[in-house]
Amino acid sequence: MKALGYYAVVTGRSRKDDSIQSIREYEERFFRSSKLFKDGMVAAGQVTTRNLALGVAECFWRMVRDSVEQQADAFKAMRFNLESEWKNTFPRQRELDRDELFERARAELLDKSAELSGVPAAAWEARLQNALWAAAAQRIFSGIYLPAAAHASEDVDKFNTSVDIKLREWAENELATLSIQAGRQALREEFSELMSKSSDSDAIYEPVKKAAVDEALSRHQWEERAQDVLRVLQVNALQDRCVASRGDWDSAVSLMEDALKERLKTTEEDLKSLAGPGFRDRWLYWQSSSEEQNRRSEVKSELERLGSSRPNLSYDEVVAVRDNLRRRGVDADNEYIRETWKPIYLKQFLQRALSRARDCRKSFYLYTQQNGTGKECCEVVMFWRVQSALRTTANALRQQIGNREAGRLDRELREVLDEMSSDADMKKKLLSGRRVELAEELKRVRQVQEKLEEFIEALNKEK
């Protein structure tokens, strides 16, 4: 303001009741009649409060304009740097901010959810059967087959009775709930596989997709009446003991063989961990045994020489093994010997059962000649009953998924995505990385630069 020069003003007439307008009129009359003004000592633009206010405003807005133009230049340089980084770091990719990325992930996820209803029935049933067997295998083998099969060679009727009782208890108390859990697992696997098949999907969306699917699946509850429907179907399927075709017989034998081989492999690994590596592994792979494994190996060798085929050793057999071990300098009590015998007996039993399963593959004709009442290969019939129940369950679950559960899951997924879209912190957590941060920064810089340019344009028009 000093550079613009001083202004002459009249600020009033010392009257408290004067208005602003009357003061202005008095000021104008004063300067029109002033000798300084008439003689040209003071320029017309250097007098009155109005000219003073205009001068101050002009000075102020000039400073504002200069400052804004500097800021606009700074943001323009910043924008150029950010755009250059994007072009070099993420070529051929759109600059999508966090909200736009979330909407893209949302659209892809809902598209995949819609594809669930288009999965072929055969693929659904195969996946469901695998999930059901994985969930039920341990219970079938340890809780039903092994306790009953221990007496199969001695009393087939006792085996069948035990199997009938245990299968019915299993179907009435556990199988329906287990089936729902397996159905949910199959639904999760199918959804995950559908998402992984999308080759053009951007990896940056994966955290959002995974979080949304996991949350939707955790909220999804199977329809309550579905368990009752499954329970009726399963009880009826398990009661049927008539194998109708050679294909069903061979399928049951294959299921039995696969189950026995899997359990035999696990048992052999358990024995190896107890008794340590064998002669071949010690020489070929330079493996060694601990002191406890050497002790267990001595007990194992003595028990194998005993040649017993019963699941539980008698007292005399345990004493004989213990005395033989003591003569060789190995100290083992009765409980230690019985504990070692369990995996040895299980391995021998599984090997014998696997041999019986191979023999039974050729016995379907004999089974049909006896009208399904024969006592041969009763173990195969048991596995066929289980397989038939699982197939029936898989078929029912597949229909439930196609008719209701896929739609219920889609609704849960939409609700989860709606909640996530309104949660800025969640989106920031799931969509992160330099690519997202750079796009967000570019968006902010462009917005600020555009506002500054609009402001400068308005200032120029005002001038």
Side-chain angles (χ1 to χ4, degrees):
M1 289 301 295
K2 286 182 179 180
L4 294 177
Y6 291 97
Y7 285 76
V9 298
V10 175
T11 59
R13 294 181 292 175
S14 300
R15 297 178 183 177
K16 294 182 179 180
D17 55 346
D18 282 353
S19 64
I20 298 297
Q21 183 62 30
S22 64
I23 294 173
R24 285 179 178 173
E25 292 174 355
Y26 172 75
E27 184 182 40
E28 289 176 359
R29 289 195 303 270
F30 176 83
F31 281 113
R32 280 199 300 269
S33 60
S34 173
K35 184 179 179 182
L36 292 174
F37 184 73
K38 291 179 180 179
D39 293 343
M41 298 293 293
V42 180
Q46 297 291 115
V47 296
T48 72
T49 306
R50 179 177 178 275
N51 286 332
L52 173 63
L54 291 174
V56 172
E58 182 181 358
C59 179
F60 170 76
W61 286 114
R62 186 185 302 113
M63 293 170 63
V64 170
R65 188 180 298 109
D66 293 341
S67 175
V68 169
E69 288 176 351
Q70 290 176 3
Q71 290 295 320
D73 291 340
F75 274 94
K76 187 180 295 185
M78 187 185 302
R79 175 178 174 176
F80 176 79
N81 294 337
L82 293 174
E83 288 178 344
S84 299
E85 182 182 352
W86 182 274
K87 290 176 183 178
N88 291 306
T89 310
F90 308 105
R92 298 185 298 277
Q93 288 184 341
R94 287 179 56 197
E95 300 165 6
L96 301 176
D97 61 23
R98 192 169 276 112
D99 291 334
E100 292 170 328
L101 287 171
F102 180 82
E103 291 305 319
R104 288 281 296 271
R106 176 195 181 100
E108 287 189 15
L109 197 52
L110 292 178
D111 288 343
K112 293 302 177 184
S113 177
E115 291 181 19
L116 275 176
S117 58
V119 176
W124 263 126
E125 293 200 12
R127 183 178 294 280
L128 286 165
Q129 286 185 39
N130 291 334
L132 285 166
W133 176 252
Q138 181 64 26
R139 179 72 173 86
I140 293 168
F141 211 90
S142 300
I144 299 173
Y145 174 63
L146 284 181
H151 308 286
S153 59
E154 304 170 4
D155 190 345
V156 176
D157 292 334
K158 192 172 182 180
F159 171 82
N160 289 331
T161 302
S162 177
V163 166
D164 287 343
I165 294 172
K166 291 181 181 298
L167 284 178
R168 187 171 185 85
E169 289 177 352
W170 181 51
E172 291 179 346
N173 301 325
E174 303 175 29
L175 185 53
T177 304
L178 192 72
S179 301
I180 297 298
Q181 294 173 357
R184 294 185 65 188
Q185 180 62 28
L187 194 59
R188 175 186 290 273
E189 291 175 357
E190 188 64 39
F191 209 157
S192 300
E193 189 170 313
L194 282 174
M195 289 194 296
S196 65
K197 285 180 180 178
S198 181
S199 58
D200 57 344
S201 178
D202 199 325
I204 200 169
Y205 306 139
E206 294 308 313
V208 174
K209 293 180 181 179
K210 186 177 185 305
V213 170
D214 289 346
E215 180 63 23
L217 287 171
S218 67
R219 295 184 186 182
H220 174 251
Q221 298 295 326
W222 217 272
E223 198 171 19
E224 291 183 4
R225 62 177 182 174
Q227 286 196 26
D228 298 330
V229 175
L230 290 175
R231 189 175 292 109
V232 173
L233 294 173
Q234 290 162 349
V235 169
N236 291 335
L238 288 170
Q239 287 177 346
D240 187 6
R241 300 179 58 178
C242 180
V243 186
S245 67
R246 180 59 186 264
D248 290 340
W249 182 270
D250 290 343
S251 179
V253 172
S254 298
L255 177 63
M256 181 178 174
E257 287 181 339
D258 292 341
L260 291 169
K261 288 176 182 177
E262 183 179 353
R263 189 58 182 266
L264 181 60
K265 181 180 178 181
T266 304
T267 305
E268 289 175 342
E269 290 174 354
D270 293 342
L271 270 174
K272 183 177 179 180
S273 65
L274 283 175
F279 179 81
R280 179 174 176 274
D281 290 337
R282 287 198 300 269
W283 278 95
L284 291 180
Y285 303 110
W286 293 81
Q287 296 178 353
S288 59
S289 304
S290 65
E291 184 177 346
E292 174 60 23
Q293 286 177 330
N294 290 330
R295 181 188 177 202
R296 189 78 72 170
S297 179
E298 292 289 343
V299 178
K300 173 176 173 288
S301 300
E302 189 61 34
L303 286 170
E304 288 173 345
R305 281 194 290 270
L306 181 65
S308 177
S309 60
R310 291 190 298 272
N312 298 311
L313 296 175
S314 66
Y315 177 76
D316 293 338
E317 289 173 329
V318 173
V319 171
V321 171
R322 186 186 62 193
D323 292 342
N324 291 338
L325 289 170
R326 283 180 178 174
R327 294 189 189 95
R328 291 156 52 187
V330 179
D331 185 21
D333 58 24
N334 294 357
E335 187 60 31
Y336 190 86
I337 294 171
R338 289 193 175 95
E339 182 184 342
T340 309
W341 171 246
K342 290 178 182 178
I344 296 173
Y345 166 76
L346 182 57
K347 178 183 176 181
Q348 295 174 353
F349 168 80
L350 293 172
Q351 289 172 337
R352 293 193 299 268
L354 195 56
S355 178
R356 291 197 300 271
R358 295 191 185 101
D359 294 339
C360 285
R361 189 175 287 276
K362 306 173 185 177
S363 301
F364 179 69
Y365 178 76
L366 178 62
Y367 171 81
T368 56
Q369 290 297 310
Q370 297 173 346
N371 295 322
T373 60
K375 298 182 180 182
E376 293 79 7
C377 299
C378 56
E379 296 162 294
V380 174
V381 176
M382 187 214 98
F383 275 94
W384 178 80
R385 294 166 67 183
V386 170
Q387 188 176 58
S388 177
L390 296 184
R391 284 178 177 171
T392 302
T393 303
N395 182 270
L397 286 173
R398 189 260 305 168
Q399 294 182 51
Q400 290 174 1
I401 290 172
N403 295 335
R404 292 181 295 277
E405 300 306 325
R408 287 158 61 90
L409 178 61
D410 185 74
R411 287 194 294 273
E412 294 287 356
L413 187 60
R414 289 178 185 274
E415 290 180 5
V416 171
L417 289 169
D418 288 341
E419 293 174 8
M420 293 173 66
S421 66
S422 59
D423 190 340
D425 292 336
M426 177 66 72
K427 287 194 288 188
K428 189 173 183 179
K429 178 181 177 182
L430 296 174
L431 293 168
S432 59
R434 182 55 185 163
R435 174 179 163 186
V436 184
E437 300 301 330
L438 185 57
E440 288 280 316
E441 195 171 355
L442 262 170
K443 179 181 178 181
R444 288 193 297 269
V445 168
R446 284 172 178 156
Q447 288 176 343
V448 173
Q449 185 187 359
E450 288 171 3
K451 294 295 182 183
L452 288 173
E453 289 176 351
E454 290 176 5
F455 189 42
I456 293 171
E457 184 177 355
L459 287 176
N460 291 332
K461 288 181 179 178
E462 185 68 22
K463 179 180 177 182

